[in-house]
Amino acid sequence: MVNIALLSLLVAQAAPPDLGSQADPFPTGSMNVGAPGGIPIGKLMLMPEIAVVVDGALGYTTLSTDQQELIAGPLPQHKAWPMLQEVELAFQATVDPYIRGDVFLTFSPQGVEVEEAYLKTLSLPWSLQIKAGQIYSPFGRTSQLHRHQWTFVDQPVSMQRLVGAEGLSGPGGDLSWLAPLPWFAEVHLDYQATRPGFDETVQQLTGVARLIQYFDLSDSATLGVGLSWALFQAEAPEQWKNLAGADLYFKFRDPTSRSSVVLQGELYGRQLSEQAFSEARWGGYGQAVWRIDRNWEVGGRYDNAPAPVAFGGGTQETWTALGTYYTSEFFRLRVQPSLVLLPEGQTGFQGLASFEFTIGAHAAHPF
Amino acid sequence: MSHLSTALSVAFLLAAFASPARAAVNVVTTTEGLAAVVREVGGDDVKVIALSRGVQDPHFVDANPSLAVKLRNADLLVDVGMDLEIGWLPPLVTQSRNAAIQPGGARRLTAGNFVSPMDLPTGPVDRSQGDIHPSGNPHFLTDPRRAVQVAAAIAGRLAEIDPGNAAHYRERLQAFQGKVAAAGKGWKERLAPFAGRSVITQHKTLTYLLDWSGLKAAGYMEPKQGVAPPPSHVASLVAVAKAAGVKGVLVENYYDRRPADQLRDLAGVKVIVIPGDVGGTKEASDWVSYVDVLVKALGQAVQ
Ligand SMILES: [Zn+2]
C-alpha cells in the first residue's frame, strides 16, 4: 500500500520556501504547491490492492483413495503427507466511479485457476447489484467461501459431494436485490455455466436463486437464515436437475470482547432428472466454533454425506475437531482430526495440520 | 368567528404535520465519537446512528450484514479513515448499494482527510512492526483541535446536503467551537502543572490528546501495535516507567487489563481504565464529557 501521508510529506518537503510578501505584484498562490514534474510515485496509488494467501498442510489418513472419493486431492494412505494446498493471489480495486473489480487467482497442485474474476456494480438504482464474470454461485453458505475464509481446514464432505468439490462456480452473472426492509434480506438470481458435484467433467447451464436474511436479535446476537435452489440443464432441456439448500447461522459476540461463538448448519438435497423424489440424495453438516480470545479458537463439526460411489449407497458420517492458534490476523495454525464412519462398519481416521499466512493488503474480517 | 377558528385549527394541523414531514438528514457514522460530533453540529436537523459501540474495539468490528441495511438509507456516511475501519467497512459499503457513500462519493465524509496525522512512518514499513496504521494514527478525535476541524468539515457537508438548514449548522458549529474552547481551557489548567510528565498507554490511542496537553507517552503496553503484551514486555516497561517517572497506566476498557495490573504490581504504577470512545462508559455520554473523563484520568495518572 502506498502511503498517502508519507507522500504528502514528500510533497511538502519538495515545495520551495514561501517567499510571499504583501508587496509582491505576482502573488505566488498555487505556484508553490507540489513538486515540479508532479509526484513521481503518484501512479502507484492507482495500483489495485494486492494480497497473497498461502495454505500448506501435513495430512495423514487411514482411508484408501476409494474410501475418500471426491475429497479434493485425496491423501495417500498411512503416510504423513506434506501439501501446499493453495496460493491465492488477490487483486482488488474500483474500476471507475460505478464499478469495482476483484480478481482471485489460485495456484495449486491441480494447476492455475481463476477462482473468481468479477465486476460488481456500485450504483445501480432500486438497491440492485450485478456481479458478473467468473464467480461463485450464490448457493449456500460455506460453498461460496474462499479457502482462507474457511474456519476448518477442509470443506464439509456433504458440500463437496452434493454441491461440488470446490463449491459451484463458473462464468456467468448474479443479479441481487437488497429488499427495503428493516433487516437484511437479499435475493439473488444467477445464470451461470458450472461444474456441479454430480458430474464435474462438463459445464452445465445453471440457474441459482437464493434468499439470505440476517436478524439482529440483540447487540450481541445475530441470526442468519438462507435458502438456495439451483437448476442444472445438461444435455437436453428436459434433463433438469435440482439442488436445494438451507442454511442457518447464529453468532454471539459480546461487543466488548474478541471472543465469540458461532453455530452454523446446512442441509443439501439433490434430485437428478431420472430420479424420483424418494431417490434424492441428502446431506448436511452442523458446526460450533468458539473463538476464545484473540489467539485461540476451537470447534467441532458433524457431517452426514452420501457414501463414496464404491459403496453403492449408504451414508458417511464424519466427526471433526478443530484447534486454531492465531498469532495475528495474518497467520494461523490449525490442527484438525476427523473420525470417518463409512457403510459396512468401515471406519477411518484423518488428521490435518495446516498453516496459513497472508501478506499484502489487509483483508476484511470474515463474518 | 367560527370561520376564523376553523381556519386557525387547519393552520395548526398543517403546522403539526408540516414540521415532522421535514425529513432530518440520515447520518451514519462508524464510531460513537463521530456520531457525537455529528450530533453537536447537526442537532435536531439530523438523525445519527453509529455502526459500532463505544465499548467496542474499533479495530475489530464485525462486518455484520445488518449494518449494510443501516448504510443503504444513509444520506451521509462519516468514517474515521486512515485505515481504521479497513477490516470491516469496505464490504458493508459495497453491500449497501448506496452509490453516494462509496469512497469519494458526494455523501461520504472521511474525517481523517480533514486533519493532519501524527505517528507517520518515517522509514520502511512492514508488519514486523505489528498491525500498524501505515497512513498515520487514526485515533485523532480526542484532540480538541482536530475535533473542531472534523466538526467544521461535517457542518460544511451537512450544509451542502441540506442547504435549507445551512445557517443552523453554522450556528451549532460555532456553539461547539465555543464549548470546546471553554472546556479546553479548564482541561489545560488542570493538566498544565504536570506538563512534560509521562504516562503509559495500552495502544497509541491518546497520542493526539497527550500532544495537545503537553504530556508524553513513555511507552505502550503493546510491544508492537495491535500485539498483546507478553510478560517479557511488561517486565521491560518496569525500567521505562521508573526512568520516566511514570505514575499511571491508561487502558481502554475493551482491552485485557491484566498485563497493566502486572506492571502495577512490578512498578507501583496506577492502572486507570478509560472509555475507548463516547459511550464507552456512562459518564462519557457526549464528546465533551468523554474528553473530560480522559483528562481526569490523565490528571490521576500523572500524580
Ligand atoms: Zn489503532
Side-chain angles (χ1 to χ4, degrees):
Chain A
M1 287 297 323
V2 178
N3 191 322
I4 298 169
L6 202 63
L7 211 62
S8 57
L9 259 191
L10 277 174
V11 176
Q13 282 162 1
D18 185 12
L19 306 168
S21 105
Q22 290 189 337
D24 190 346
F26 302 107
T28 46
S30 65
M31 294 294 288
N32 285 342
V33 178
I39 311 163
I41 58 172
K43 60 179 175 287
L44 285 179
M45 296 198 295
L46 293 176
M47 293 271 284
E49 298 207 351
I50 301 171
V52 184
V53 190
V54 176
D55 275 283
L58 188 67
Y60 177 86
T61 184
T62 64
L63 297 170
S64 69
T65 304
D66 273 356
Q67 287 173 315
Q68 293 176 58
E69 186 232 28
L70 260 184
I71 297 175
L75 280 167
Q77 204 174 7
H78 301 305
K79 289 189 177 84
W81 200 257
M83 300 171 275
L84 182 68
Q85 293 157 302
E86 188 178 280
V87 176
E88 183 190 286
L89 206 52
F91 303 89
Q92 302 181 276
T94 44
V95 175
D96 66 18
Y98 318 102
I99 286 168
R100 58 171 291 119
D102 296 79
V103 176
F104 305 91
L105 307 176
T106 54
F107 302 76
S108 71
Q110 284 79 46
V112 180
E113 233 180 279
V114 179
E115 186 176 21
E116 288 198 283
Y118 57 80
L119 65 88
K120 208 175 212 178
T121 60
L122 299 174
S123 56
L124 286 190
W126 308 305
S127 288
L128 293 170
Q129 192 160 56
I130 289 173
K131 180 180 172 185
Q134 167 83 16
I135 59 174
Y136 275 113
S137 307
F139 184 94
R141 176 173 291 278
T142 196
S143 56
Q144 297 188 48
L145 300 178
H146 292 203
R147 183 181 284 270
H148 59 90
Q149 297 169 316
W150 303 353
T151 306
F152 288 79
V153 183
D154 59 1
Q155 289 276 46
V157 179
S158 53
M159 188 226 93
Q160 296 186 50
R161 298 225 171 114
L162 291 166
V163 182
E166 286 163 357
L168 274 180
S169 70
D174 169 28
L175 174 70
S176 62
W177 177 56
L178 184 61
L181 294 167
W183 66 92
F184 183 92
E186 200 177 57
V187 180
H188 292 261
L189 287 173
D190 159 280
Y191 183 72
Q192 263 179 293
T194 67
R195 293 176 193 274
F198 53 84
D199 183 1
E200 304 204 345
T201 56
V202 285
Q203 283 203 326
Q204 321 223 1
L205 282 178
T206 308
V208 181
R210 175 164 169 82
L211 168 65
I212 171 71
Q213 299 182 85
Y214 286 95
F215 306 94
D216 273 341
L217 306 180
S218 72
D219 249 11
S220 338
T222 304
L223 177 70
V225 184
L227 288 170
S228 314
W229 182 37
L231 267 177
F232 305 94
Q233 180 198 33
E235 303 77 21
E238 66 275 14
Q239 285 190 310
W240 288 98
K241 301 165 179 75
N242 285 296
L243 179 67
D247 55 277
L248 205 63
Y249 174 93
F250 175 79
K251 178 164 188 171
F252 180 85
R253 179 186 168 190
D254 173 357
T256 61
S257 100
R258 294 280 293 277
S259 167
S260 65
V261 172
V262 174
L263 306 175
Q264 179 178 328
E266 284 191 70
L267 196 64
Y268 309 108
R270 186 177 72 201
Q271 184 191 19
L272 303 183
S273 50
E274 62 273 18
Q275 286 177 333
F277 183 74
S278 59
E279 291 174 277
R281 300 309 306 263
W282 299 87
Y285 70 92
Q287 69 188 39
V289 176
W290 177 29
R291 178 76 184 250
I292 302 166
D293 57 25
R294 64 198 295 165
N295 299 116
W296 292 97
E297 184 171 79
V298 291
R301 183 176 72 195
Y302 167 75
D303 181 82
N304 188 304
V309 187
F311 290 90
T315 59
Q316 167 180 343
E317 291 178 279
T318 311
W319 295 87
T320 302
L322 171 76
T324 306
Y325 178 75
Y326 296 83
T327 58
S328 68
E329 282 191 82
F330 310 99
F331 181 72
R332 62 175 168 173
L333 285 169
R334 288 175 290 179
V335 179
Q336 183 185 304
S338 295
L339 180 67
V340 181
L341 307 173
L342 291 160
E344 301 159 21
Q346 296 181 29
T347 60
F349 168 81
Q350 187 172 294
L352 290 164
S354 103
F355 70 85
E356 180 183 87
F357 68 81
T358 304
I359 52 177
H362 194 311
H365 312 143
F367 182 67
Chain B
M1 196 61 201
S2 86
H3 281 295
L4 183 61
S5 67
T6 312
L8 272 176
S9 45
V10 167
F12 271 119
L13 271 176
L14 278 177
F17 279 106
S19 60
R22 185 180 58 77
V25 181
N26 256 322
V27 185
V28 177
T29 68
T30 54
T31 65
E32 288 209 55
L34 287 172
V37 175
V38 172
R39 237 169 250 126
E40 295 285 347
V41 296
D44 48 14
D45 294 316
V46 301
K47 264 196 297 195
V48 198
I49 42 173
L51 297 179
S52 65
R53 302 274 76 84
V55 293
Q56 229 170 332
D57 182 341
H59 308 86
F60 294 98
V61 177
D62 280 335
N64 184 337
S66 307
L67 300 177
V69 176
K70 296 180 176 160
L71 288 170
R72 183 187 53 206
N73 297 320
D75 297 317
L76 177 63
L77 167 61
V78 184
D79 61 328
V80 174
M82 297 189 194
D83 295 343
L84 179 68
E85 303 102 334
I86 195 166
W88 57 279
L89 187 62
L92 294 175
V93 169
T94 305
Q95 217 165 17
S96 77
R97 294 151 170 84
N98 186 339
I101 62 162
Q102 305 295 326
R107 295 182 169 217
R108 172 77 169 261
L109 189 147
T110 300
N113 294 351
F114 296 86
V115 301
S116 56
M118 292 179 69
D119 292 334
L120 283 172
T122 48
V125 165
D126 66 42
R127 289 207 181 103
S128 66
Q129 295 150 17
D131 194 0
I132 43 157
H133 297 302
S135 310
N137 185 329
H139 307 289
F140 51 77
L141 206 61
T142 54
D143 181 340
R145 298 162 299 189
R146 288 171 171 92
V148 165
Q149 288 178 317
V150 171
I154 293 171
R157 191 66 70 86
L158 284 172
E160 279 170 32
I161 292 171
D162 181 21
N165 288 312
H168 292 173
Y169 299 124
R170 214 173 307 125
E171 283 160 26
R172 286 198 210 94
L173 173 62
Q174 276 163 11
F176 181 61
Q177 284 165 335
K179 217 153 84 171
V180 173
K185 199 161 161 261
W187 296 333
K188 275 261 158 105
E189 278 165 14
R190 187 182 195 110
L191 296 176
F194 313 109
R197 291 206 193 164
S198 298
V199 298
I200 288 176
T201 64
Q202 172 83 18
H203 182 71
K204 291 191 176 174
T205 32
L206 295 181
T207 308
Y208 294 90
L209 184 60
L210 291 172
D211 175 66
W212 176 81
S213 61
L215 302 178
K216 286 183 198 148
Y220 305 94
M221 293 304 299
E222 293 182 341
K224 291 174 175 183
Q225 283 190 61
V227 176
S232 59
H233 179 68
V234 176
S236 74
L237 281 176
V238 175
V240 172
K242 294 227 161 102
V246 171
K247 304 221 170 62
V249 180
L250 298 134
V251 182
E252 278 82 11
N253 55 8
Y254 48 75
Y255 287 116
D256 180 2
R257 64 170 282 174
R258 283 172 298 183
D261 286 341
Q262 285 164 10
L263 184 62
R264 176 197 58 200
D265 296 342
L266 293 170
V269 295
K270 280 173 275 191
V271 177
I272 300 150
V273 176
I274 52 172
D277 202 348
V278 175
T281 60
K282 252 201 209 95
E283 302 79 58
S285 55
D286 61 13
W287 186 88
V288 170
S289 57
Y290 165 52
V291 179
D292 200 54
V293 169
L294 296 182
V295 168
K296 278 183 191 147
L298 283 172
Q300 268 180 283
V302 288
Q303 47 183 314

mmCIF file of all heavy atoms in Angstrom, chain B residues 258-288:
data_model
loop_
_atom_site.group_PDB
_atom_site.id
_atom_site.type_symbol
_atom_site.label_atom_id
_atom_site.label_comp_id
_atom_site.label_asym_id
_atom_site.label_seq_id
_atom_site.Cartn_x
_atom_site.Cartn_y
_atom_site.Cartn_z
ATOM 1 N N ARG B 258 -5.153 -7.188 32.554
ATOM 2 C CA ARG B 258 -4.244 -7.960 33.411
ATOM 3 C C ARG B 258 -2.772 -7.605 33.227
ATOM 4 O O ARG B 258 -2.048 -7.467 34.216
ATOM 5 C CB ARG B 258 -4.491 -9.463 33.224
ATOM 6 C CG ARG B 258 -5.745 -9.927 33.968
ATOM 7 C CD ARG B 258 -6.110 -11.350 33.650
ATOM 8 N NE ARG B 258 -6.423 -11.507 32.223
ATOM 9 C CZ ARG B 258 -6.829 -12.653 31.676
ATOM 10 N NH1 ARG B 258 -6.940 -13.737 32.421
ATOM 11 N NH2 ARG B 258 -7.109 -12.727 30.392
ATOM 12 N N PRO B 259 -2.279 -7.419 31.967
ATOM 13 C CA PRO B 259 -0.866 -7.030 31.843
ATOM 14 C C PRO B 259 -0.570 -5.710 32.551
ATOM 15 O O PRO B 259 0.477 -5.556 33.192
ATOM 16 C CB PRO B 259 -0.662 -6.909 30.334
ATOM 17 C CG PRO B 259 -1.711 -7.791 29.738
ATOM 18 C CD PRO B 259 -2.886 -7.677 30.656
ATOM 19 N N ALA B 260 -1.518 -4.761 32.482
ATOM 20 C CA ALA B 260 -1.320 -3.478 33.172
ATOM 21 C C ALA B 260 -1.286 -3.689 34.681
ATOM 22 O O ALA B 260 -0.507 -3.046 35.397
ATOM 23 C CB ALA B 260 -2.423 -2.499 32.783
ATOM 24 N N ASP B 261 -2.123 -4.612 35.158
ATOM 25 C CA ASP B 261 -2.100 -4.925 36.585
ATOM 26 C C ASP B 261 -0.752 -5.514 37.005
ATOM 27 O O ASP B 261 -0.260 -5.240 38.098
ATOM 28 C CB ASP B 261 -3.232 -5.902 36.933
ATOM 29 C CG ASP B 261 -4.599 -5.216 36.937
ATOM 30 O OD1 ASP B 261 -4.628 -3.964 37.036
ATOM 31 O OD2 ASP B 261 -5.618 -5.919 36.822
ATOM 32 N N GLN B 262 -0.171 -6.333 36.112
ATOM 33 C CA GLN B 262 1.162 -6.884 36.405
ATOM 34 C C GLN B 262 2.176 -5.756 36.532
ATOM 35 O O GLN B 262 3.014 -5.749 37.444
ATOM 36 C CB GLN B 262 1.606 -7.846 35.297
ATOM 37 C CG GLN B 262 0.908 -9.195 35.344
ATOM 38 C CD GLN B 262 1.062 -9.966 34.032
ATOM 39 O OE1 GLN B 262 1.838 -9.571 33.157
ATOM 40 N NE2 GLN B 262 0.329 -11.050 33.904
ATOM 41 N N LEU B 263 2.074 -4.783 35.612
ATOM 42 C CA LEU B 263 3.002 -3.651 35.665
ATOM 43 C C LEU B 263 2.794 -2.864 36.960
ATOM 44 O O LEU B 263 3.757 -2.407 37.579
ATOM 45 C CB LEU B 263 2.804 -2.758 34.437
ATOM 46 C CG LEU B 263 3.782 -1.590 34.322
ATOM 47 C CD1 LEU B 263 5.214 -2.096 34.199
ATOM 48 C CD2 LEU B 263 3.447 -0.712 33.120
ATOM 49 N N ARG B 264 1.529 -2.735 37.369
ATOM 50 C CA ARG B 264 1.226 -2.057 38.634
ATOM 51 C C ARG B 264 1.949 -2.757 39.789
ATOM 52 O O ARG B 264 2.602 -2.128 40.608
ATOM 53 C CB ARG B 264 -0.288 -2.097 38.873
ATOM 54 C CG ARG B 264 -0.732 -1.503 40.214
ATOM 55 C CD ARG B 264 -2.141 -1.944 40.559
ATOM 56 N NE ARG B 264 -2.222 -3.413 40.618
ATOM 57 C CZ ARG B 264 -3.353 -4.106 40.519
ATOM 58 N NH1 ARG B 264 -4.499 -3.490 40.337
ATOM 59 N NH2 ARG B 264 -3.346 -5.428 40.584
ATOM 60 N N ASP B 265 1.871 -4.109 39.793
ATOM 61 C CA ASP B 265 2.497 -4.860 40.874
ATOM 62 C C ASP B 265 4.017 -4.739 40.841
ATOM 63 O O ASP B 265 4.670 -4.734 41.874
ATOM 64 C CB ASP B 265 2.088 -6.338 40.789
ATOM 65 C CG ASP B 265 0.582 -6.507 40.999
ATOM 66 O OD1 ASP B 265 -0.044 -5.565 41.541
ATOM 67 O OD2 ASP B 265 0.042 -7.556 40.605
ATOM 68 N N LEU B 266 4.579 -4.665 39.628
ATOM 69 C CA LEU B 266 6.042 -4.644 39.498
ATOM 70 C C LEU B 266 6.618 -3.248 39.666
ATOM 71 O O LEU B 266 7.714 -3.080 40.193
ATOM 72 C CB LEU B 266 6.455 -5.191 38.122
ATOM 73 C CG LEU B 266 6.187 -6.673 37.867
ATOM 74 C CD1 LEU B 266 6.405 -7.001 36.400
ATOM 75 C CD2 LEU B 266 7.095 -7.532 38.738
ATOM 76 N N ALA B 267 5.895 -2.223 39.170
ATOM 77 C CA ALA B 267 6.478 -0.880 39.124
ATOM 78 C C ALA B 267 5.752 0.111 40.023
ATOM 79 O O ALA B 267 6.152 1.275 40.095
ATOM 80 C CB ALA B 267 6.484 -0.366 37.684
ATOM 81 N N GLY B 268 4.700 -0.357 40.697
ATOM 82 C CA GLY B 268 3.987 0.536 41.600
ATOM 83 C C GLY B 268 3.230 1.665 40.912
ATOM 84 O O GLY B 268 3.070 2.741 41.486
ATOM 85 N N VAL B 269 2.809 1.451 39.676
ATOM 86 C CA VAL B 269 2.040 2.484 38.978
ATOM 87 C C VAL B 269 0.544 2.233 39.180
ATOM 88 O O VAL B 269 0.144 1.132 39.555
ATOM 89 C CB VAL B 269 2.358 2.506 37.468
ATOM 90 C CG1 VAL B 269 3.801 2.899 37.242
ATOM 91 C CG2 VAL B 269 2.062 1.148 36.839
ATOM 92 N N LYS B 270 -0.253 3.282 38.930
ATOM 93 C CA LYS B 270 -1.705 3.120 38.997
ATOM 94 C C LYS B 270 -2.219 2.599 37.656
ATOM 95 O O LYS B 270 -1.658 2.927 36.624
ATOM 96 C CB LYS B 270 -2.370 4.475 39.252
ATOM 97 C CG LYS B 270 -2.340 4.912 40.688
ATOM 98 C CD LYS B 270 -2.875 6.328 40.815
ATOM 99 C CE LYS B 270 -1.783 7.341 40.561
ATOM 100 N NZ LYS B 270 -2.107 8.712 40.905
ATOM 101 N N VAL B 271 -3.297 1.811 37.693
ATOM 102 C CA VAL B 271 -3.955 1.417 36.447
ATOM 103 C C VAL B 271 -5.282 2.154 36.378
ATOM 104 O O VAL B 271 -6.094 2.066 37.301
ATOM 105 C CB VAL B 271 -4.193 -0.105 36.381
ATOM 106 C CG1 VAL B 271 -4.950 -0.463 35.113
ATOM 107 C CG2 VAL B 271 -2.872 -0.854 36.446
ATOM 108 N N ILE B 272 -5.464 2.907 35.312
ATOM 109 C CA ILE B 272 -6.711 3.656 35.162
ATOM 110 C C ILE B 272 -7.410 3.166 33.898
ATOM 111 O O ILE B 272 -6.865 3.270 32.795
ATOM 112 C CB ILE B 272 -6.436 5.165 35.101
ATOM 113 C CG1 ILE B 272 -5.752 5.593 36.408
ATOM 114 C CG2 ILE B 272 -7.724 5.946 34.898
ATOM 115 C CD1 ILE B 272 -4.828 6.746 36.246
ATOM 116 N N VAL B 273 -8.598 2.607 34.095
ATOM 117 C CA VAL B 273 -9.359 2.101 32.954
ATOM 118 C C VAL B 273 -10.193 3.254 32.392
ATOM 119 O O VAL B 273 -10.890 3.935 33.134
ATOM 120 C CB VAL B 273 -10.252 0.917 33.372
ATOM 121 C CG1 VAL B 273 -11.104 0.453 32.204
ATOM 122 C CG2 VAL B 273 -9.378 -0.238 33.875
ATOM 123 N N ILE B 274 -10.071 3.455 31.080
ATOM 124 C CA ILE B 274 -10.743 4.592 30.457
ATOM 125 C C ILE B 274 -11.694 4.103 29.356
ATOM 126 O O ILE B 274 -11.490 3.021 28.791
ATOM 127 C CB ILE B 274 -9.719 5.578 29.835
ATOM 128 C CG1 ILE B 274 -8.754 4.829 28.903
ATOM 129 C CG2 ILE B 274 -8.968 6.336 30.919
ATOM 130 C CD1 ILE B 274 -7.838 5.735 28.110
ATOM 131 N N PRO B 275 -12.723 4.899 29.046
ATOM 132 C CA PRO B 275 -13.575 4.537 27.909
ATOM 133 C C PRO B 275 -12.795 4.690 26.604
ATOM 134 O O PRO B 275 -11.946 5.568 26.488
ATOM 135 C CB PRO B 275 -14.726 5.543 27.991
ATOM 136 C CG PRO B 275 -14.191 6.697 28.778
ATOM 137 C CD PRO B 275 -13.167 6.138 29.719
ATOM 138 N N GLY B 276 -13.067 3.833 25.636
ATOM 139 C CA GLY B 276 -12.371 3.898 24.354
ATOM 140 C C GLY B 276 -12.996 4.900 23.402
ATOM 141 O O GLY B 276 -12.419 5.239 22.375
ATOM 142 N N ASP B 277 -14.186 5.364 23.734
ATOM 143 C CA ASP B 277 -14.860 6.322 22.864
ATOM 144 C C ASP B 277 -16.066 6.885 23.623
ATOM 145 O O ASP B 277 -16.366 6.439 24.733
ATOM 146 C CB ASP B 277 -15.337 5.626 21.575
ATOM 147 C CG ASP B 277 -15.557 6.615 20.426
ATOM 148 O OD1 ASP B 277 -15.572 7.835 20.673
ATOM 149 O OD2 ASP B 277 -15.722 6.170 19.281
ATOM 150 N N VAL B 278 -16.746 7.818 23.001
ATOM 151 C CA VAL B 278 -18.024 8.282 23.542
ATOM 152 C C VAL B 278 -18.917 7.043 23.698
ATOM 153 O O VAL B 278 -18.927 6.174 22.832
ATOM 154 C CB VAL B 278 -18.688 9.300 22.593
ATOM 155 C CG1 VAL B 278 -20.072 9.685 23.088
ATOM 156 C CG2 VAL B 278 -17.805 10.535 22.428
ATOM 157 N N GLY B 279 -19.615 6.949 24.818
ATOM 158 C CA GLY B 279 -20.469 5.783 25.034
ATOM 159 C C GLY B 279 -19.720 4.604 25.647
ATOM 160 O O GLY B 279 -20.324 3.592 25.966
ATOM 161 N N GLY B 280 -18.406 4.743 25.808
ATOM 162 C CA GLY B 280 -17.611 3.656 26.381
ATOM 163 C C GLY B 280 -17.916 3.436 27.850
ATOM 164 O O GLY B 280 -17.782 2.327 28.359
ATOM 165 N N THR B 281 -18.302 4.515 28.546
ATOM 166 C CA THR B 281 -18.825 4.415 29.915
ATOM 167 C C THR B 281 -20.022 5.360 30.007
ATOM 168 O O THR B 281 -20.253 6.165 29.108
ATOM 169 C CB THR B 281 -17.789 4.851 30.973
ATOM 170 O OG1 THR B 281 -17.416 6.210 30.723
ATOM 171 C CG2 THR B 281 -16.552 3.966 30.948
ATOM 172 N N LYS B 282 -20.748 5.245 31.121
ATOM 173 C CA LYS B 282 -21.946 6.083 31.292
ATOM 174 C C LYS B 282 -21.608 7.571 31.284
ATOM 175 O O LYS B 282 -22.315 8.381 30.690
ATOM 176 C CB LYS B 282 -22.634 5.712 32.609
ATOM 177 C CG LYS B 282 -23.938 4.960 32.391
ATOM 178 C CD LYS B 282 -24.835 5.051 33.613
ATOM 179 C CE LYS B 282 -25.705 3.812 33.708
ATOM 180 N NZ LYS B 282 -25.120 2.760 34.591
ATOM 181 N N GLU B 283 -20.492 7.926 31.963
ATOM 182 C CA GLU B 283 -20.135 9.349 32.087
ATOM 183 C C GLU B 283 -19.772 9.945 30.729
ATOM 184 O O GLU B 283 -19.985 11.119 30.480
ATOM 185 C CB GLU B 283 -18.939 9.543 33.026
ATOM 186 C CG GLU B 283 -19.129 8.999 34.435
ATOM 187 C CD GLU B 283 -18.939 7.493 34.505
ATOM 188 O OE1 GLU B 283 -17.854 7.017 34.139
ATOM 189 O OE2 GLU B 283 -19.891 6.792 34.888
ATOM 190 N N ALA B 284 -19.211 9.115 29.846
ATOM 191 C CA ALA B 284 -18.744 9.616 28.547
ATOM 192 C C ALA B 284 -19.903 9.668 27.563
ATOM 193 O O ALA B 284 -19.915 8.991 26.550
ATOM 194 C CB ALA B 284 -17.621 8.729 28.019
ATOM 195 N N SER B 285 -20.898 10.525 27.879
ATOM 196 C CA SER B 285 -22.133 10.469 27.100
ATOM 197 C C SER B 285 -22.092 11.356 25.855
ATOM 198 O O SER B 285 -22.844 11.140 24.925
ATOM 199 C CB SER B 285 -23.313 10.872 27.987
ATOM 200 O OG SER B 285 -23.046 12.147 28.544
ATOM 201 N N ASP B 286 -21.243 12.371 25.849
ATOM 202 C CA ASP B 286 -21.064 13.152 24.622
ATOM 203 C C ASP B 286 -19.585 13.493 24.478
ATOM 204 O O ASP B 286 -18.770 13.079 25.312
ATOM 205 C CB ASP B 286 -21.948 14.405 24.603
ATOM 206 C CG ASP B 286 -21.634 15.365 25.753
ATOM 207 O OD1 ASP B 286 -20.589 15.191 26.416
ATOM 208 O OD2 ASP B 286 -22.438 16.275 25.993
ATOM 209 N N TRP B 287 -19.238 14.236 23.440
ATOM 210 C CA TRP B 287 -17.812 14.423 23.163
ATOM 211 C C TRP B 287 -17.099 15.122 24.319
ATOM 212 O O TRP B 287 -16.039 14.677 24.782
ATOM 213 C CB TRP B 287 -17.615 15.205 21.847
ATOM 214 C CG TRP B 287 -16.171 15.278 21.482
ATOM 215 C CD1 TRP B 287 -15.468 14.372 20.746
ATOM 216 C CD2 TRP B 287 -15.239 16.291 21.884
ATOM 217 N NE1 TRP B 287 -14.149 14.742 20.667
ATOM 218 C CE2 TRP B 287 -13.980 15.921 21.353
ATOM 219 C CE3 TRP B 287 -15.332 17.456 22.632
ATOM 220 C CZ2 TRP B 287 -12.837 16.687 21.551
ATOM 221 C CZ3 TRP B 287 -14.195 18.214 22.834
ATOM 222 C CH2 TRP B 287 -12.957 17.829 22.291
ATOM 223 N N VAL B 288 -17.700 16.212 24.842
ATOM 224 C CA VAL B 288 -17.030 16.968 25.904
ATOM 225 C C VAL B 288 -16.886 16.113 27.167
ATOM 226 O O VAL B 288 -15.821 16.070 27.783
ATOM 227 C CB VAL B 288 -17.776 18.296 26.200
ATOM 228 C CG1 VAL B 288 -17.221 18.956 27.452
ATOM 229 C CG2 VAL B 288 -17.641 19.245 25.011
#
